[in-house]
Every structure is written in structure tokens, then in C-alpha cells.
Amino acid sequence: MSLDSLIANTIRQDVRSDHIYHVPDASGFVKLDAMENPYVLPSHLHLELANRIASVALNRYPVASYDTIKQRIRAKLGVPQGYDVMLGNGSDELIAIMAQACALQPAEGRRAVMMAPAPSFVMFQRSAMVAGMDFVGVPLKADLTLDLPAMLAAIGQHQPALVFLAYPNNPTGNLFDAGDIEKVINALGDKGLCVVDEAYEPFAQQSFMGRLPEFPNLIVMRTLSKLGLAGIRLGYMSCAPALLEQFDKIRPPYNVNVLTQAAAEFCLDHLDVLNEQAALLRQQRGELSAKLAKLPGVNVFPSAANFILIRVPNADQVHSKLLERKVLIKNVGRMHNVLANCLRITVSTPEENAIMLDGLTAALAS
Ligand SMILES: *Cc1c(COP(=O)(O)O)cnc(C)c1O
């Protein structure tokens, strides 16, 4: 039997022709490509966490209601009264669940549309593809702000069921105008849902969470990843309870494992530690932006996230020179026209930022 024909006979065409999502191996590198928090928990908390984890009943399924962890999130992370949260194995899973819930069946006679600004977080488009939604990307303006007239026109033309707005946006780092976002939400009305993806909320300190009661078609999604817990994979989202219930029908019942749950509960009890780390990174973001702006030929875009987007004369060259020095940043220059020659750099410790700056300075001079 030939594996080729087996795969051709069983796996769908768009999956077969797709590429594997490439994550570079970063061992031995100063890793500034994935917006991870460089800080770890203080050692006394490490031990306490180890004890907590050791007492978890690994032989048992998670408690399906996830009441304890949800209660902590609602109480500590600004979820409005009367609003519940749904948890995901990372917010990546939540994006996939929303796409699956909105994709139409062939018998419904048309394809549902997902819309997002372009460039934005790549998982939006990927989830649309996998779920069987059409994806419409609306180009940002050259200054990387939202093109509101184009968004509103595209909404009128395509009637999207789901619009994703990353706030701040990845990979650009900027916050779209809150008034523009409101106009998008209102234009969708009862025909479409607007997901405000607040993965970088700890660094932006701006949120639509408190405004959920104003907009029945608003969904706010966040993650603990960028706050310092990328490894445990925990995302959460909130919206009107009747709407949340629809998504919850698609969520696998035990999608968050007991170790993640225990670690997240522990860290939420010590949220002040993570918040202090975020404050340090916000301060570093300011200092690093100022230093980057002084380098000849470097253009720095304003950031409300824990990464900085810059434009250089030759992004491919700078990127590979930094790789030679074992510094890994993200070359986004070929992602979209408006990002030509752009690089995305995660803000890290003063030490790692200095290593990166040295490498960048040398690369620009060569
Ligand atoms: C990093 C990122 C996420 C990823 O979240 P996980 O919870 O780690 O899956 C979601 N949205 C945006 C815009 C991001 O940049």
C-alpha cells in the first residue's frame, strides 16, 4: 500500500497542501522571538509551587466545572459582575473553538467569513482555514493604524461572523484607536462577533473587559502566556453568558489539565509578582525603544506590548547577522507589504537587551 495514496484518499486537500507551522529551535540562543517573559518566579515561590504540583491528583480527571480557577480569574483579572469565563489550552485553542462554532456546514449554502486586519496574529487565519471559514484580511495603513473606512466597507461587503482585533496588535505592537474598535463592533451589530484579543494586556494596561456589558457582540480574550506562563498554556475569554454557552458546547470537557490548573491558581495567588515583572518589562520597553531610535537607519514603531517593531535598511541581513551571534529575533519583513524590512524584538532583561543591541549595532555597521 502506498502512503501517498493513503494520505490523498483520506486527508483533506487544503491540509495536504499546507505547510507545517515552523518554530525555530532556540537552544543556545538569546531568545527574543516569541514574547516570553524572561523572568522566573523567586526561589521561595518555586518550592511552594513544587509542593502544590506534587499534591495534584494525576490519576483524576480535572473537575469539569473548573470553578476554582475560573473564580480566581474573575476576581483578579477584571471580569465584570455576572460574566463568566471559558478556559482554553492557550488562547490558540479559544480561537480555534470560536472558528469552529462560526463555520457553517455545507448544507447552510455559504461559507462564513472571519476578518482581521493584516498583518495580525497568524493563528486567526490558520484557524479559519482549519475550521472551514473564508478569511478576509484588511490591510493596515502604512503607519500601521487601523484603516477604519476599509474595515467598515469590508464588513458591509463580506458580513463576517467573526472579526479579530488584537489589542495591542501582533506583530505591530500598537493599540488601535478605541473609538475605531467601537465603530467596528457597532457596525457588526447582530450579524457578527468582535473578538478583542488582549494577549498583551499586562503591557498595554488598556482593556475592553470592563465594557462587555455595553456590547452583546463583544468577546474579550486573554492569555497568561505573555504575563510569564507561556509554558502552562492557559487562555481565557469572556462574553455575554448565552453566547459563551454556545462556545462551551465545542470545548473538549477536560481541555485544561490539572497541572496547568494548579500552577495557574498558584500564580494568580501571587499575581503581584507577575505584575511587577510586567512593570519591569514596560520600563525596559521605554529604555530599549529610546536606544533603538538612536541607531542610524533604524525606525522604531510605538509599542504597547512586550515587543518592539523596528524597520531597518535590510532586515534579512540584520536578522542573519544576529543569528550568527546567537540572538534570535523575528524577521517579519516578508509577512506583508506594510512590514517591509521590519523586525520584531521581544523586550527582555537589561542584560539580554544589551546583547541584542550590541549585535544589532554591529549588524547595521557591516
Ligand atoms: C501570543 C499571542 C497569543 C497566544 O496565546 P497563547 O495563549 O499562548 O496561545 C494570542 N494572541 C496574540 C495576538 C498573541 O500575540
Side-chain angles (χ1 to χ4, degrees):
M1 185 169 43
S2 128
L3 254 186
D4 283 347
S5 49
L6 176 66
I7 289 168
N9 289 331
T10 54
I11 307 295
R12 37 190 265 213
Q13 165 62 42
D14 57 351
V15 172
R16 276 183 278 140
S17 54
D18 196 23
H19 304 283
I20 298 270
Y21 185 79
H22 175 70
V23 179
D25 180 9
S27 44
F29 280 80
V30 175
K31 193 170 184 310
L32 305 176
D33 67 328
M35 284 76 87
E36 291 148 324
N37 175 349
Y39 298 109
V40 294
L41 293 177
S43 52
H44 70 281
L45 289 185
H46 256 159
L47 273 178
E48 237 184 277
L49 172 61
N51 287 333
R52 239 356 142 87
I53 298 278
S55 71
V56 170
L58 298 182
N59 56 323
R60 301 292 177 193
Y61 282 105
V63 175
S65 65
Y66 292 106
D67 270 343
T68 343
I69 174 74
K70 284 188 187 177
Q71 169 52 33
R72 291 269 209 309
I73 290 174
R74 285 198 305 267
K76 298 222 162 194
L77 297 168
V79 179
Q81 274 294 328
Y83 281 69
D84 198 2
V85 293
M86 183 172 109
L87 307 179
N89 182 0
S91 45
D92 286 352
E93 186 185 37
L94 297 174
I95 299 166
I97 288 173
M98 286 186 266
Q100 289 171 59
C102 294
L104 297 168
Q105 296 289 2
E108 293 178 86
R110 63 185 175 90
R111 301 250 298 174
V113 172
M114 178 194 288
M115 188 176 289
S120 191
F121 188 43
V122 291
M123 290 308 294
F124 301 150
Q125 183 163 8
R126 288 194 62 81
S127 296
M129 187 278 278
V130 172
M133 294 181 89
D134 287 337
F135 181 84
V136 176
V138 179
L140 294 174
K141 295 197 279 193
D143 64 0
L144 307 181
T145 58
L146 201 63
D147 189 340
L148 183 66
M151 281 298 289
L152 297 179
I155 287 169
Q157 188 188 342
H158 299 285
Q159 232 26 286
L162 264 180
V163 174
F164 279 93
L165 297 173
Y167 185 73
N169 189 40
N170 174 13
T172 57
N174 56 321
L175 282 167
F176 298 137
D177 181 79
D180 286 356
I181 294 181
E182 256 177 69
K183 292 191 179 89
V184 167
I185 299 170
N186 287 329
L188 290 165
D190 66 359
K191 297 252 177 25
L193 305 168
C194 185
V195 185
V196 176
D197 177 351
E198 299 186 349
Y200 300 97
E201 185 272 336
F203 311 102
Q205 301 177 291
Q206 302 278 333
S207 177
F208 275 77
M209 187 68 91
R211 304 189 61 184
L212 281 172
E214 284 175 57
F215 307 105
N217 62 333
L218 170 64
I219 298 167
V220 175
M221 180 176 72
R222 293 196 193 142
T223 175
L224 299 187
S225 293
K226 310 294 159 48
L227 189 58
L229 302 171
I232 72 170
R233 314 299 304 128
L234 188 72
Y236 61 98
M237 58 184 259
S238 187
C239 61
L243 180 58
L244 198 66
E245 211 173 279
Q246 304 307 314
F247 297 121
D248 210 28
K249 295 174 186 172
I250 292 184
R251 183 184 59 81
Y254 304 121
N255 64 327
V256 173
N257 74 74
V258 289
L259 297 174
T260 292
Q261 196 184 323
E265 281 172 19
F266 179 81
C267 291
L268 288 173
D269 286 342
H270 300 281
L271 191 59
D272 50 329
V273 174
L274 296 177
N275 283 338
E276 279 165 30
Q277 295 176 348
L280 278 176
L281 291 168
R282 291 195 301 269
Q283 188 195 336
Q284 281 304 310
R285 174 182 69 203
E287 293 180 17
L288 182 56
S289 294
K291 287 176 183 161
L292 286 165
K294 290 204 179 103
L295 296 179
V298 175
N299 212 326
V300 182
F301 292 93
S303 170
N306 64 339
F307 61 88
I308 299 171
L309 185 78
I310 61 171
R311 177 168 281 132
V312 295
N314 186 337
D316 292 344
Q317 186 191 325
V318 169
H319 182 253
S320 54
K321 293 262 177 208
L322 281 169
L323 280 183
E324 285 169 20
R325 288 177 164 243
K326 293 279 174 195
V327 176
L328 187 59
I329 62 173
K330 181 94 172 170
N331 185 356
V332 294
R334 298 183 184 282
M335 220 175 131
H336 194 278
N337 289 339
V338 298
L339 292 181
N341 278 315
C342 285
L343 299 164
R344 190 191 67 193
I345 305 167
T346 306
V347 177
S348 184
T349 59
E351 294 74 22
E352 290 197 340
N353 295 340
I355 293 171
M356 185 280 300
L357 270 174
D358 279 352
L360 185 59
T361 307
L364 287 165
S366 65

